[in-house]
Structures are given as structure tokens and as C-alpha cells.
Amino acid sequence: MNLVLKSALAGVVVLAGFAPVSSFAQDGSCTCATAYNGVNPIGSIGSVNGDVMISQAAGYGPAQAGGALDFGSRVVVGGKGSASVNVGSCNLSVPANSTLDISRVENKICLNVLGSEKTAQTDNSNNENKTPLIIFGGMAAGALVLGLTQDDDHGRPVSD
């Protein structure tokens, strides 16, 4: 394998580690999508019944009707609760044992309701930032490719 091809392959592997996580997200995963018009807050909680919590920058707290919603908001509804939210043209009901996540995909607001079976798999309630782990993984993969493809001329006779 020539050096240019090895370098290109290693570069692709390293760049994959630096790619933004949102680039791997699919736009089709939104339960409802609406245009973002630059206004904050982007929406509000319409109604709350029973056990409903909201997560924003300050952490989790009890949700209240009329409460503001913004990017990164998460509405978590317990087993004996329900809620409704109003964001742009999206008016969604959030049933018991489900979670509503609000994110931005390009110039749209993405609302995604996850049922209890999905919430257990995707809930990241400790809000860990995985970016350093992704960057380190990309760098390690690049180093591995370089190490495995390195031609160090062992076993060749030395010419005069």
C-alpha cells in the first residue's frame, strides 16, 4: 500500500472521530417538526396532569402549565401523568411513561416523543457530554490504522 493511500485512509478515520454527533442523527426521527423563527422560548407546556417533570439548563423540576420550552428541554411523564406541549405548529400530547425531547435539526425544531420502551434505552439523565470520548476514539482508530499499515522495511537486505 503506498504512503498516499495509507495517509488518506488514516485521515478519513480520524475525521470521522471529529464529526459532530448531530450529523449522525436522522431528520425522520422527529414526531413533529416545525420551522424555527428565531424566537426564544420556542414554546410552552399546555397542560400537566399527575407526575410530570421538565429538564432544562438548571436541571429537573416539576412541570407547570405555561412553562417555557427551549432547545434541549425534556419533558418526562411518569406512570400516572400526561402533558401537552405547544411549539410552533406542533401541538403534542405526551402520554404516561414517555419522554419528549426538543432539539434543533438544521433550521427546524424537532419534537420527539419516546415511549417507555425507548426511553429506557436512550435516557441520558446524567447529561454526560460524550464529545471527548468520540474525539479520543477517532484519534485512537487513526493511530491504529497508521500502526497497522506502517511499512518499516524489516527483513529487507541493506544495499551498498
Coordinates of all heavy atoms in Angstrom, one line a residue, residues 41-96:
P41 N -38.5 31.9 24.4 CA -38.5 30.5 24.3 C -39.3 30.1 23.0 O -40.1 30.8 22.5 CB -39.3 30.1 25.6 CG -40.1 31.3 25.9 CD -39.3 32.5 25.4
I42 N -39.1 28.8 22.6 CA -39.7 28.3 21.4 C -41.1 27.8 21.5 O -41.8 27.6 20.6 CB -38.8 27.3 20.7 CG1 -38.5 26.1 21.7 CG2 -37.4 27.9 20.3 CD1 -37.8 24.9 21.0
G43 N -41.5 27.5 22.8 CA -42.8 27.0 23.0 C -43.2 27.0 24.5 O -42.4 27.5 25.3
S44 N -44.3 26.3 24.8 CA -44.7 26.2 26.2 C -45.4 24.9 26.5 O -45.8 24.2 25.6 CB -45.6 27.4 26.5 OG -46.8 27.3 25.8
I45 N -45.6 24.6 27.8 CA -46.3 23.5 28.2 C -47.8 23.9 28.2 O -48.1 24.9 28.9 CB -45.9 23.0 29.6 CG1 -44.4 22.6 29.5 CG2 -46.7 21.8 30.1 CD1 -43.8 22.2 30.8
G46 N -48.6 23.1 27.6 CA -50.1 23.5 27.5 C -50.8 23.0 28.8 O -51.5 23.8 29.4
S47 N -50.6 21.7 29.1 CA -51.3 21.2 30.3 C -50.4 20.2 31.0 O -49.6 19.5 30.3 CB -52.7 20.6 29.9 OG -52.5 19.4 29.1
V48 N -50.7 20.0 32.3 CA -49.9 19.0 33.1 C -50.9 18.3 34.0 O -51.7 18.9 34.6 CB -48.9 19.7 33.9 CG1 -48.2 18.7 34.9 CG2 -47.8 20.4 33.1
N49 N -50.9 16.9 33.9 CA -51.7 16.1 34.8 C -50.8 15.1 35.5 O -50.2 14.3 34.8 CB -52.8 15.4 34.0 CG -53.8 16.4 33.4 OD1 -54.3 17.3 34.1 ND2 -54.1 16.3 32.1
G50 N -50.8 15.0 36.8 CA -50.0 14.0 37.5 C -48.6 14.3 37.5 O -48.1 15.4 37.6
D51 N -47.8 13.2 37.4 CA -46.3 13.2 37.6 C -45.6 13.6 36.3 O -45.5 12.8 35.4 CB -45.9 11.8 38.0 CG -44.4 11.8 38.3 OD1 -43.8 12.8 38.6 OD2 -43.8 10.7 38.2
V52 N -45.3 14.9 36.2 CA -44.6 15.4 35.0 C -43.4 16.3 35.5 O -43.6 17.2 36.3 CB -45.5 16.2 34.1 CG1 -44.8 16.7 32.9 CG2 -46.8 15.4 33.7
M53 N -42.2 16.0 34.9 CA -41.0 16.8 35.3 C -40.5 17.4 34.0 O -40.7 16.9 32.9 CB -40.0 15.9 35.9 CG -40.4 15.1 37.1 SD -40.6 16.2 38.5 CE -38.9 16.4 39.0
I54 N -39.8 18.5 34.1 CA -39.1 19.1 33.0 C -37.7 19.3 33.3 O -37.3 19.7 34.4 CB -39.8 20.5 32.6 CG1 -39.2 21.0 31.3 CG2 -39.8 21.4 33.7 CD1 -40.0 22.2 30.7
S55 N -36.8 19.1 32.3 CA -35.4 19.3 32.4 C -35.0 20.4 31.5 O -35.3 20.4 30.3 CB -34.6 18.0 32.0 OG -33.3 18.3 31.8
Q56 N -34.3 21.4 32.1 CA -33.7 22.5 31.3 C -32.3 22.7 31.8 O -31.8 21.8 32.5 CB -34.6 23.7 31.4 CG -35.9 23.5 30.7 CD -36.8 24.7 30.7 OE1 -36.8 25.5 31.6 NE2 -37.6 24.9 29.6
A57 N -31.7 23.8 31.6 CA -30.4 24.1 32.0 C -30.1 24.0 33.5 O -29.1 23.5 33.9 CB -30.0 25.5 31.5
A58 N -31.1 24.3 34.3 CA -31.0 24.2 35.7 C -31.2 22.8 36.3 O -31.0 22.6 37.5 CB -31.9 25.3 36.4
G59 N -31.7 21.9 35.5 CA -31.9 20.5 36.0 C -33.4 20.2 36.0 O -34.2 20.9 35.4
Y60 N -33.8 19.1 36.6 CA -35.2 18.7 36.6 C -36.0 19.4 37.7 O -35.5 19.7 38.8 CB -35.3 17.2 36.9 CG -35.0 16.4 35.6 CD1 -33.7 15.9 35.4 CD2 -36.0 16.1 34.7 CE1 -33.4 15.1 34.3 CE2 -35.7 15.3 33.6 CZ -34.4 14.8 33.4 OH -34.2 14.1 32.3
G61 N -37.2 19.7 37.4 CA -38.2 20.3 38.3 C -39.6 20.0 37.9 O -39.8 19.5 36.8
P62 N -40.6 20.2 38.7 CA -42.0 19.9 38.4 C -42.4 20.8 37.2 O -42.1 22.0 37.2 CB -42.7 20.3 39.6 CG -41.7 20.6 40.7 CD -40.4 20.7 40.1
A63 N -43.1 20.2 36.3 CA -43.6 21.0 35.1 C -44.9 21.7 35.5 O -45.6 21.2 36.3 CB -43.8 20.0 33.9
Q64 N -45.1 22.9 34.9 CA -46.3 23.6 35.2 C -46.9 24.1 33.8 O -46.1 24.5 32.9 CB -46.0 24.8 36.1 CG -45.5 24.5 37.4 CD -45.1 25.7 38.3 OE1 -45.2 26.8 37.8 NE2 -44.8 25.5 39.5
A65 N -48.2 24.1 33.7 CA -48.8 24.7 32.6 C -48.3 26.1 32.3 O -48.2 26.9 33.2 CB -50.3 24.6 32.7
G66 N -48.0 26.4 31.1 CA -47.5 27.7 30.7 C -46.0 27.8 30.8 O -45.4 28.8 30.5
G67 N -45.3 26.8 31.4 CA -43.9 26.8 31.5 C -43.2 26.9 30.1 O -43.6 26.3 29.2
A68 N -42.1 27.6 30.1 CA -41.4 27.8 28.8 C -40.6 26.6 28.4 O -40.0 25.8 29.2 CB -40.4 29.0 29.0
L69 N -40.5 26.4 27.1 CA -39.7 25.3 26.5 C -38.7 25.9 25.5 O -39.0 26.9 24.9 CB -40.6 24.3 25.7 CG -41.6 23.6 26.5 CD1 -42.6 22.8 25.6 CD2 -40.9 22.6 27.5
D70 N -37.5 25.3 25.5 CA -36.4 25.8 24.6 C -35.7 24.5 24.1 O -36.0 23.4 24.5 CB -35.5 26.7 25.3 CG -34.9 27.8 24.4 OD1 -34.9 27.5 23.2 OD2 -34.5 28.8 24.9
F71 N -34.7 24.8 23.2 CA -33.9 23.7 22.7 C -33.2 23.0 23.9 O -32.7 23.6 24.8 CB -32.8 24.2 21.7 CG -33.4 24.7 20.5 CD1 -33.3 26.1 20.2 CD2 -34.1 23.9 19.6 CE1 -33.9 26.6 19.0 CE2 -34.6 24.4 18.4 CZ -34.5 25.7 18.1
G72 N -33.2 21.7 23.9 CA -32.6 20.9 25.0 C -33.6 20.6 26.1 O -33.3 19.8 27.0
S73 N -34.8 21.1 26.0 CA -35.8 20.8 27.0 C -36.2 19.3 26.9 O -36.3 18.8 25.8 CB -37.1 21.7 26.9 OG -36.8 23.0 27.2
R74 N -36.5 18.7 28.0 CA -37.0 17.3 28.1 C -38.2 17.3 29.0 O -38.0 17.7 30.2 CB -35.9 16.4 28.5 CG -36.4 15.0 28.7 CD -35.3 14.0 29.0 NE -34.6 13.7 27.8 CZ -33.5 12.9 27.7 NH1 -33.0 12.4 28.8 NH2 -33.0 12.6 26.6
V75 N -39.3 16.8 28.6 CA -40.5 16.6 29.4 C -40.6 15.2 29.7 O -40.7 14.3 28.8 CB -41.8 17.2 28.7 CG1 -43.0 17.0 29.6 CG2 -41.6 18.7 28.4
V76 N -40.6 14.8 31.0 CA -40.6 13.4 31.4 C -42.0 13.2 32.1 O -42.2 13.8 33.1 CB -39.5 13.0 32.3 CG1 -39.5 11.6 32.7 CG2 -38.1 13.3 31.6
V77 N -42.8 12.2 31.6 CA -44.1 11.9 32.2 C -44.0 10.6 32.9 O -43.7 9.6 32.2 CB -45.2 12.0 31.1 CG1 -46.5 11.7 31.7 CG2 -45.2 13.3 30.4
G78 N -44.4 10.5 34.1 CA -44.4 9.3 34.9 C -45.6 8.4 34.6 O -46.5 8.8 33.7
G79 N -45.7 7.3 35.3 CA -46.8 6.3 35.0 C -48.2 6.8 35.2 O -49.1 6.3 34.6
K80 N -48.4 7.8 36.1 CA -49.7 8.3 36.3 C -49.8 9.8 35.9 O -50.3 10.6 36.7 CB -50.1 8.2 37.8 CG -50.2 6.7 38.2 CD -50.5 6.6 39.7 CE -50.6 5.1 40.1 NZ -51.0 5.0 41.5
G81 N -49.3 10.1 34.7 CA -49.3 11.5 34.3 C -49.6 11.6 32.8 O -49.6 10.7 32.1
S82 N -49.7 12.9 32.4 CA -49.8 13.2 31.0 C -49.5 14.7 30.9 O -49.6 15.5 31.8 CB -51.2 12.9 30.4 OG -52.2 13.7 31.0
A83 N -49.2 15.2 29.6 CA -48.9 16.6 29.4 C -49.2 16.9 28.0 O -49.3 16.0 27.1 CB -47.5 16.9 29.8
S84 N -49.3 18.2 27.7 CA -49.4 18.6 26.3 C -48.4 19.8 26.1 O -48.1 20.5 27.1 CB -50.8 19.0 25.9 OG -51.2 20.2 26.6
V85 N -47.8 19.9 24.9 CA -46.9 21.0 24.6 C -47.3 21.7 23.3 O -47.9 21.1 22.4 CB -45.4 20.5 24.5 CG1 -45.0 19.9 25.8 CG2 -45.3 19.5 23.4
N86 N -46.9 22.9 23.2 CA -47.2 23.7 22.1 C -45.9 24.4 21.6 O -45.4 25.2 22.3 CB -48.2 24.8 22.4 CG -49.5 24.3 23.0 OD1 -50.1 23.3 22.5 ND2 -49.9 24.8 24.2
V87 N -45.4 24.0 20.5 CA -44.2 24.5 19.9 C -44.4 24.8 18.4 O -44.6 23.8 17.7 CB -43.0 23.6 20.1 CG1 -41.7 24.1 19.5 CG2 -42.7 23.3 21.6
G88 N -44.4 26.0 18.0 CA -44.7 26.3 16.6 C -46.0 25.7 16.2 O -47.1 25.9 16.8
S89 N -46.0 25.0 15.1 CA -47.2 24.4 14.6 C -47.4 23.0 15.2 O -48.4 22.3 14.8 CB -47.1 24.2 13.0 OG -46.1 23.4 12.7
C90 N -46.6 22.6 16.1 CA -46.7 21.3 16.8 C -47.5 21.4 18.1 O -47.0 22.2 19.0 CB -45.3 20.7 17.0 SG -44.4 20.3 15.6
N91 N -48.6 20.7 18.2 CA -49.3 20.6 19.5 C -49.4 19.1 19.8 O -50.2 18.4 19.2 CB -50.7 21.2 19.3 CG -50.6 22.7 19.0 OD1 -49.9 23.5 19.6 ND2 -51.3 23.1 18.0
L92 N -48.5 18.7 20.7 CA -48.4 17.3 21.0 C -48.9 16.9 22.4 O -48.7 17.7 23.4 CB -46.9 16.8 20.9 CG -46.3 16.8 19.5 CD1 -44.8 16.4 19.6 CD2 -47.0 15.9 18.6
S93 N -49.4 15.7 22.5 CA -49.8 15.1 23.8 C -48.6 14.2 24.2 O -48.1 13.4 23.3 CB -51.1 14.3 23.7 OG -52.1 15.2 23.5
V94 N -48.2 14.2 25.4 CA -47.2 13.4 25.9 C -47.8 12.4 26.9 O -48.2 12.8 28.0 CB -46.0 14.2 26.6 CG1 -44.8 13.3 26.9 CG2 -45.6 15.3 25.7
P95 N -48.0 11.1 26.6 CA -48.7 10.2 27.4 C -47.9 9.7 28.6 O -46.7 10.0 28.7 CB -49.0 9.0 26.5 CG -47.9 9.1 25.4 CD -47.6 10.5 25.3
A96 N -48.5 8.9 29.5 CA -47.8 8.3 30.6 C -46.6 7.5 30.2 O -46.6 6.9 29.1 CB -48.8 7.5 31.4

